[in-house]
Amino acid sequence: VVRPASPCVAAGSGRVRCSTGAPEGVAEQALAQGDQADLTLASGDEPFLVRTWPMTLKAQYDAAPWTVVLIRPQAIVRAPIAGFERDFWLVVLFAGLIAAWLSVTQVRRQLRPLEALTVATSQLAEGRFDTRVEVHSNDEFRTLGNAFNDLSTELQRQFAELEAFNLGTLSALARAIDAKSSWTA
């Protein structure tokens, strides 16, 4: 049963008047605690949030002060907070999933150039000096890819020179042997 806030008023004489639906005895318990208090009191098994405050009537009506007591079931007061807690954790979960997805996407994007460089390095180690790396990012991986391509080109040039030098050395050695030997002269 959903109940709205139930107001009660205690006149200076101590007599308590409550609206219909106010839980029995809760207003008296609150008044026994003193003026201007925020309390949690129970009636049966149901907890209630209670607020009391004095209302001075002496200046305008020359009457003893009254105490106003507002009583509301705790479940009703806390229901919006429970809905907020559920929504809050759903938003946190959703934001965490989005952050994780963005992180994985970013890491994969960063790993692609590294994978290409790793494959190209293996090919270069096998002696395929015409290997080139295509890096389409505008960061340090592009610089690294360009440096790798320059290295590959330079190694290809140097190995070609070395091969020509070796062939020339072997040819010169063969001619020297041929010229010196009476059998091959």
Side-chain angles (χ1 to χ4, degrees), residues 80-94:
I81 294 172
F84 172 77
E85 282 179 342
R86 187 199 75 226
D87 292 346
F88 173 78
W89 289 114
L90 286 175
V91 167
V92 166
L93 177 66
F94 185 67

Side-chain angles (χ1 to χ4, degrees), residues 8-16 26-39 41 50-57 64-70:
C8 298
V9 176
S13 62
R15 187 170 170 196
V16 179
V26 174
E28 287 84 7
Q29 290 178 40
L31 290 171
Q33 300 287 330
D35 289 344
Q36 204 160 0
D38 291 320
L39 307 167
L41 302 173
V50 180
R51 168 86 174 155
T52 63
W53 67 92
M55 191 166 85
T56 307
L57 301 173
W66 290 3
T67 301
V68 177
V69 180
L70 189 60

